[in-house]
Amino acid sequence: MEACGCGEEQIPWTLAKFGVLGTAGLVLGLLVVMMLAGWLLVLAVSLYQRWRHPPVEIDTGTDDAEVAESSRDPLGDFTWRPEDG
């Protein structure tokens, strides 16, 4: 009797070995591993860039106490005009 060509030789090896849920789990696991590798690569590049080119502090000429005093009331300079409404 000859094989009909619809057996295990016609389906992918991973599907034959692990089944549908096993193959789906394997694919999802590989996707998670690739995402984590991407995040680690981005982290490594950003740390390298920060190490290679550290951020520059800009001196605005204002005292820290003045900045803290002015930042208490974010709407302190806000004025309402009737024609704005």
Side-chain angles (χ1 to χ4, degrees), residues 6-65:
C6 56
E8 285 187 10
E9 65 272 1
Q10 296 295 323
I11 60 175
W13 174 82
T14 55
L15 190 58
K17 179 121 174 128
F18 300 118
V20 175
L21 293 178
T23 303
L26 182 66
V27 169
L28 290 175
L30 287 173
L31 285 174
V32 168
V33 167
M34 286 190 293
M35 285 185 348
L36 289 175
W39 278 102
L40 289 175
L41 183 62
V42 167
L43 178 66
V45 168
S46 64
L47 287 175
Y48 176 75
Q49 287 292 331
R50 182 175 282 263
W51 172 72
R52 188 83 172 150
H53 306 287
V56 178
E57 290 187 24
I58 299 173
D59 187 19
T60 58
T62 59
D63 190 20
D64 290 337

